[in-house]
């Protein structure tokens, strides 16, 4: 049964894993991550960066790290939807997405070039030179779930569309033959081209998310939709603007009902950050909701009180068990008036 009020949360766990010799160990990570999950007290929880572990011989990878993290919590018995590898039904090796829901998930699917084909591009700095265009593919899928809202939060048959995503980071994409090592490029031009390709991937994923939204609104103009996760972009950048679809960008007031709303805007600006990057407060983990769902919105929390600076920690802390992303949770009061 879906309770009312309804709490929806997102949290990038940052490479949650459970492999022999892994440092920090899964136990060390659970010690700091599980209290954060409990504090969220979420009814729907969207997670990013969950790594899978090898299964028994001949079987698909398993989500043992996630299972261990959720043990002895309210989330252990939640309904679950997961992404899978592009060419097999089991989870990918790294960076899987998950949606956990107290209420039934009646349908879920993932989008990975289902609505937007990979753009073709011929790299100019590749060594040896490219002879043909290559497809620029996204690194990860988008996870779309439909959660039942009846029996406590909504009318019979009503659903909430939950879109969980993790957009490509702005870190420059690999260009064959143009790196000395993992962190060192041979030329500024090669780095710039890799940076350009990363932007194509990130913006392309955002375009696919927006096209999914328009399909949902085509089917139901009053659809209740939330798009959440790690966008690797702040409010001023292209990926967010593409998904928001605001009137000032489209220039068409008749499309206003299809635009999304960032709930973080209801917080004072000094509180709007989910990552600390070299002393700068950045909001990368967003929750965007449809105008219809916004009618039931009450408040949002960003649990950033103990957030560490990701660059400082990377340079000075050995094997930190923390996530350098703050969880975000929003509350909605659907009651009997939803729809």
């Amino acid at each position: 049964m879906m309770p009312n009020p309804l709490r929806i949360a997102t949290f990038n766990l940052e490479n949650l894993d459970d492999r022999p010799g892994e440092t920090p160990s899964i136990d060390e990570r659970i010690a700091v991550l599980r209290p954060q999950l409990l504090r969220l007290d979420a009814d729907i929880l969207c997670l990013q960066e969950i790594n899978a572990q090898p299964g028994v011989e001949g079987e698909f990878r398993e989500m043992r790290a996630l299972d261990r993290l959720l043990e002895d919590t309210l989330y252990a018995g939640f309904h679950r939807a997961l992404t899978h590898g592009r060419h097999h039904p089991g989870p990918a090796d790294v960076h899987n997405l998950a949606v956990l829901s107290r209420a039934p998930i009646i349908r879920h699917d993932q989008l990975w070039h289902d609505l937007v084909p990979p753009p073709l591009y011929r790299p100019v700095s590749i060594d040896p030179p490219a002879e043909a265009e290559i497809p620029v593919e996204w690194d990860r899928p988008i996870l779309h779930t439909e959660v039942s809202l009846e029996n406590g939060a909504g009318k019979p048959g009503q659903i909430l569309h939950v879109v969980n995503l993790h957009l490509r980071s702005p870190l420059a994409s690999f260009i064959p033959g143009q790196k000395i090592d993992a962190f060192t490029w041979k030329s500024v031009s090669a780095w710039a081209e890799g940076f350009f390709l990363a932007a194509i991937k990130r913006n392309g994923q955002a375009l696919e998310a927006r096209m999914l939204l328009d399909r949902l609104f085509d089917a139901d103009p009053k659809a209740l939709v939330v798009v959440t996760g790690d966008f690797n972009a702040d409010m001023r950048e292209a990926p967010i603007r593409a998904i928001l679809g605001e009137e000032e960008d489209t220039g068409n007031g008749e499309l206003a009902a299809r635009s999304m709303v960032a709930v973080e805007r209801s917080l004072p600006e000094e509180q709007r950050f989910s990552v600390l990057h070299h002393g700068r407060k950045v909001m990368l983990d967003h929750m965007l909701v449809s105008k219809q769902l916004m009618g039931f919105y009450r408040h949002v929390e960003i649990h950033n009180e103990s957030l560490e600076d990701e660059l400082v920690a990377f340079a000075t802390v050995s094997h930190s068990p923390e996530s350098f992303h703050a969880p975000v949770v929003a509350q909605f009061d659907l009651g009997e008036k939803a729809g």
Side-chain angles (χ1 to χ4, degrees), residues 167-220:
L167 301 186
R168 162 81 194 200
S169 80
L171 187 69
S173 293
F174 178 70
I175 302 289
Q178 290 299 327
K179 297 194 78 172
I180 297 172
D181 56 40
F183 301 101
T184 311
W185 288 84
K186 291 183 178 179
S187 73
V188 177
S189 293
W191 165 83
E193 185 173 31
F195 193 61
F196 166 68
L197 290 174
I200 291 177
K201 293 183 178 185
R202 187 171 51 149
N203 292 332
Q205 280 182 281
L207 170 61
E208 191 152 37
R210 169 35 74 176
M211 295 186 74
L212 168 62
L213 292 178
D214 279 339
R215 286 197 171 192
L216 296 178
F217 292 132
D218 285 343
D220 179 7

Side-chain angles (χ1 to χ4, degrees), residues 34-233:
R34 187 179 288 170
Q36 292 177 280
L37 294 181
L38 294 176
R39 180 187 175 191
L40 289 172
D41 192 24
D43 302 299
I44 297 174
L45 177 60
C46 298
L47 300 172
Q48 302 89 42
E49 289 201 26
I50 309 166
N51 295 349
Q53 293 70 52
V56 297
E57 186 174 354
E59 295 295 328
F60 299 121
R61 300 182 182 96
E62 300 174 350
M63 304 297 280
R64 290 194 300 271
L66 178 62
D67 291 337
R68 290 199 57 191
L69 175 63
L70 302 180
E71 283 176 3
D72 303 319
T73 73
L74 71 161
Y75 307 110
F78 275 24
H79 301 271
R80 183 184 298 188
L82 299 166
T83 49
H84 55 79
R86 191 160 179 210
H87 303 295
H88 59 77
D93 185 30
V94 297
H95 287 198
N96 293 283
L97 305 173
V99 173
L100 311 175
S101 173
R102 188 188 301 272
I105 295 173
I106 59 177
R107 180 177 174 272
H108 74 275
D109 59 343
Q110 70 176 33
L111 291 90
W112 204 344
H113 295 297
D114 293 272
L115 303 180
V116 180
L120 296 178
Y121 176 75
R122 179 179 293 179
V124 296
S125 60
I126 191 172
D127 186 17
E131 297 182 358
E133 295 177 326
I134 61 172
V136 182
E137 298 184 341
W138 323 152
D139 296 331
R140 290 174 286 267
I142 297 167
L143 179 60
H144 168 224
T145 63
E146 297 180 8
V147 177
S148 172
L149 289 179
E150 58 184 301
N151 297 325
K155 62 185 181 182
Q158 190 170 31
I159 61 174
L160 171 67
H161 295 273
V162 180
V163 180
N164 183 8
L165 51 74
H166 183 188
L167 301 186
R168 162 81 194 200
S169 80
L171 187 69
S173 293
F174 178 70
I175 302 289
Q178 290 299 327
K179 297 194 78 172
I180 297 172
D181 56 40
F183 301 101
T184 311
W185 288 84
K186 291 183 178 179
S187 73
V188 177
S189 293
W191 165 83
E193 185 173 31
F195 193 61
F196 166 68
L197 290 174
I200 291 177
K201 293 183 178 185
R202 187 171 51 149
N203 292 332
Q205 280 182 281
L207 170 61
E208 191 152 37
R210 169 35 74 176
M211 295 186 74
L212 168 62
L213 292 178
D214 279 339
R215 286 197 171 192
L216 296 178
F217 292 132
D218 285 343
D220 179 7
K222 294 185 177 181
L224 301 176
V225 188
V226 56
V227 181
T228 192
D230 179 0
F231 290 64
N232 268 308

